[in-house]
Amino acid sequence: MPELPEVETVRRGLQPVLEGAVVLAVTLARPALRYPFPERFVERLAGRRILGLGRRSKYLLWEIEGGETLLAHLGMSGSFRIEGLGAPGSQTSPGAFALARSRDVRHDHVRFELKGGATVVYNDPRRFGFMDLLPTTDLERHPRLAGLGIEPTSNAFAAATLAAFADRRTPLKAALLDQAVVTGLGNIYVCEALWRAGLDPRRPASVLADQNEAEKLASAIRAVIAEAIEAGGSTLRDHMRTDGTLGYFQHRFAVYNREGEPCQRPGCDGTVLRIRQSGRSTFFCPSCQR
DNA sequence: CGATTAACCTGGAAGC
DNA sequence: TGCTTCCAGGTTAATC
């Protein structure tokens, strides 16, 4: 499910419940998700306080008292939900699950019981997600985090970041999906950002050697990510917030999932096209994306 | 080196 | 009502 905006939405939903909370018990329904759970996962968490909840790219980082960090990735279909919270307005609305992919308790894989009565449940039908637990001091060296590029939400991200592609002939689409230069983008937001920038996804990434194009694309990425976070992410099938409500940025897609529809750019009479690039669908308007 | 493809898994939608 | 095929917000190992 999740690109950066969806993971950030989940982080913001979990933060008020997890930050400062003490883990009473952890229950695993199976020995592995995509990868096995780390050694003594349950024992290393039980009785500990959660100090903070961060995010790097599409990874959630739970800072645990005692110097360890829990790393969680949602894969394609992972979600967290909160149970047992009495606070008004934070209860899961009964109809909410039915709107996203139907939830099945068979896919509840991890339960974190917190002191005070709340339980955080990780559900993941496809099990492409995973969790790891490691000393916080080793975090940057974790194989999954070590190669990640700049966050598009950070002040460090600019047109100059994209100049790294100046000598790359790979298509723009593939370049932006690669997490090594800019990190956090996935299939949806790459398509949307390239449409906003008016760039053809098939163009060689070396087009970004042009300062003008790099500026346009950088601000398109920045804007689409910020707007999507603001909207609580995009719900296609699985993504939901921790209270069970859905993201709504999907209603603002210009091209993603809009094959055959007229291009929304004022003055453009093109039609949204779907093609296949490196095994994934790309949506774009061939008439105004050059 | 760079660039596609297959694989990991389940379930929903579309086609016949 | 089936039964089959395709497709999905990701990542990575294997294969050109």
Side-chain angles (χ1 to χ4, degrees), chain A residues 7-8 10-12 14-15 18-20 41 45 49-65 67-74 80 112 130-146 148 151 183:
Chain A
V7 177
E8 176 61 18
V10 170
R11 190 195 70 76
R12 292 180 183 187
L14 289 176
Q15 187 171 37
L18 287 185
E19 225 164 73
F41 184 68
L45 289 171
R49 186 179 298 276
I50 300 162
L51 301 178
L53 196 56
R55 178 189 58 74
R56 171 76 168 114
S57 187
K58 305 169 188 175
Y59 298 84
L60 288 170
L61 308 173
W62 303 26
E63 190 194 344
I64 310 295
E65 169 188 51
E68 293 201 296
T69 294
L70 190 164
L71 185 68
H73 194 284
L74 305 174
F80 283 100
F112 299 89
F130 66 89
M131 293 182 192
D132 203 353
L133 187 58
L134 67 154
T136 303
T137 49
D138 295 345
L139 204 53
E140 315 173 356
R141 272 163 285 160
H142 191 283
R144 305 309 169 124
L145 300 187
L148 297 178
E151 299 277 328
T183 192

Side-chain angles (χ1 to χ4, degrees), chain A residues 1 13 32 47 137 151 164 175-176 178-179 184 187 195 204 234 238 276:
Chain A
M1 132 222 125
T137 49
E151 299 277 328
L176 294 180
D178 182 350
Q179 305 292 299
N187 211 30
W195 178 83
S234 304
D238 299 291
R276 203 133 189 101

